[in-house]
Structures are given as C-alpha cells and as structure tokens.
Amino acid sequence: MIKILVVEDEKPISNLIKMNLLDEGYGCTCAYDGQEAADIIESRTFDLVLLDIMLPKIDGYELIEYINTYEIPVIFLTAKSNVLDKVKGLKAGAQDYITKPFEIVELLARIETVLRRYDKTAKTMNIFNIHIDIAARTVAKSGQLINLTLKEFDLLVFFAKNKNRVLSRSQIYTRVWGEDFMGDSRTVDLHVQRVRKKLGLEKEIVAVYKVGYRLEVNV
C-alpha cells in the first residue's frame, strides 16, 4: 500500500485530505506540526509527503531539507500563493506546489502523477535480470520463477522501490512487517540473507554499518 504523510496543522483540512486518501486506497498518517512530522519520518517509511509551509515548531521550508535526506517526494500544500514562494518551494526540492483553496480531485491527480514519476504505482518492476509482478506476487530471475515467502517478497519490493537508498532496520521492519520495531534486528537480517541467496543479490544488497541495508543499482 502506498503510504502518505500529511503535515498540516489545520485539522479540518487534514481530516478532509485523509478521508479522501483512504477512499482512494492509500495509507495515511497525519502530523500537526513540523517536529511531530520529523519524529514520524525518522521511525517510519513513506512514499510521499504532503507538506504545509506555515507550521508550528518547524516550518515547511526547514522540514523539507530534513525530508530530502530520506529521498521522499514532497508536494507543498499551502496558502502561500506568491510566485516567489512557489519558486522557493520548488527550488527547495518539492516535486509539486499546490495552493489553498484546492479541489480534492486536482490534489489526487497531482499525487498520482508524482507517485508515477517515482515508480511508486508500478505494477511490475525490473532490477538486474529479475522481474517482479506486484499484482501477481511473482518473481522470476532470467525467466525462472523464484519461490519467495510473503515477507521475502514484500522485502524485495521494498528494496526495489527504494533503490540506492539506505534503509534502516527499523524502517524495513515497520514497513514490511507492519509493526513497531522493538530493537531485535535478527528477523530483518535473516530475511535479507534469504532474499540475497535466493536471487543472487549478495553483492547488490549491501549492509550499511550500524544502520541497515541498501540495494545498489547503477542508473
């Protein structure tokens, strides 16, 4: 499921966005100030952030610098409609900039466009000589089907959607297992070893010292 973080301090707007995202089948988490959003991003993984600019504690311009280190696409959603603000937001790294008031159908269309740009909505994926069919939940290497368990498949897809990005063990666990990480890394390490071995990715899925793993793909 595509997971979206909504960072918006006006609860009626936040609730409206969340309701529509859930109706569209997205996962949605809400944060109501910049500090809360930073804390959530540190412990969980998202495919997209909808970010207001005028936020309590940490404003959107500051927060996007932090989000950029996680390479999560951002759409600014703000009442600041000045052209200079739009330019500043886009130069800061946002993939899109929407001003309030907005039509929810336009917001959903722009979300879909950004997710598609980042291959977040892809039904099939190819890495090296491996073909992943997300809808059919099958994996083939050089045309030969590979038998993966449920979690091994989800782990592979998570790596494939986050190529060349360092993923902490806590991020991997919370995203693939859907539970809070309690500090025991053995489950993650064991599954990573199995995926590596079954798909011959021992060199491509590299361990990052004291952090987690990264799938290295030349682009």
Side-chain angles (χ1 to χ4, degrees):
M1 176 186 290
I2 299 292
K3 296 187 177 181
I4 299 175
L5 175 63
V6 179
V7 190
E8 167 64 65
D9 62 327
E10 297 183 55
K11 288 195 175 182
I13 296 177
S14 181
N15 291 339
L16 175 66
I17 295 171
K18 181 176 183 177
M19 180 182 68
N20 282 277
L21 291 177
L22 294 178
D23 285 346
E24 291 295 314
Y26 296 115
C28 181
T29 300
C30 295
Y32 302 102
D33 64 60
Q35 183 60 59
E36 181 184 14
D39 292 342
I40 291 173
I41 290 168
E42 186 177 358
S43 60
R44 299 166 61 181
T45 303
F46 294 93
D47 299 292
L48 177 71
V49 177
L50 299 180
L51 180 60
D52 193 6
I53 292 177
M54 294 179 287
L55 292 167
K57 298 184 180 178
I58 301 174
D59 70 27
Y61 290 135
E62 291 181 87
L63 188 59
I64 194 172
E65 293 182 19
Y66 178 71
I67 296 173
N68 287 341
T69 65
Y70 287 87
E71 299 182 12
I72 306 171
V74 171
I75 297 177
F76 270 129
L77 193 60
T78 174
K80 294 174 77 69
S81 58
N82 186 287
V83 172
L84 293 179
D85 288 318
K86 294 180 181 178
V87 171
K88 183 178 180 179
L90 294 171
K91 283 189 173 182
Q95 278 64 50
D96 204 347
Y97 191 108
I98 302 174
T99 56
K100 302 173 185 174
F102 57 88
E103 295 290 340
I104 198 71
V105 290
E106 180 186 1
L107 174 63
L108 293 173
R110 295 204 189 194
I111 288 172
E112 186 177 339
T113 298
V114 171
L115 291 173
R116 191 165 54 243
R117 192 184 306 156
Y118 278 76
D119 290 332
K120 300 290 186 180
T121 59
K123 302 300 181 187
T124 63
M125 307 179 76
N126 292 287
I127 51 171
F128 310 108
N129 56 348
I130 297 168
H131 178 74
I132 306 168
D133 188 324
I134 296 174
R137 297 188 68 84
T138 59
V139 176
K141 181 179 180 182
S142 301
Q144 184 74 33
L145 284 176
I146 305 296
N147 184 31
L148 298 182
T149 66
L150 177 67
K151 295 304 181 189
E152 289 167 357
F153 180 86
D154 291 343
L155 180 59
L156 176 64
V157 171
F158 189 44
F159 274 125
K161 286 185 174 180
N162 294 279
K163 296 185 286 291
N164 298 317
R165 177 182 167 195
V166 177
L167 301 171
S168 69
R169 289 180 173 84
S170 63
Q171 287 177 313
I172 293 171
Y173 191 84
T174 54
R175 184 58 180 264
V176 174
W177 277 264
E179 301 171 8
D180 291 337
F181 183 64
M182 304 303 288
D184 183 356
S185 64
R186 288 174 297 181
T187 299
V188 171
D189 292 339
L190 179 61
H191 282 75
V192 170
Q193 289 173 22
R194 287 177 176 169
V195 170
R196 279 170 161 166
K197 184 175 181 180
K198 286 186 176 182
L199 296 168
L201 296 174
E202 289 89 348
K203 294 182 180 178
E204 288 75 14
I205 300 179
V206 301
V208 179
Y209 184 61
K210 290 188 176 181
V211 179
Y213 296 93
R214 179 178 60 241
L215 174 64
E216 293 189 343
V217 178
N218 293 326
V219 295

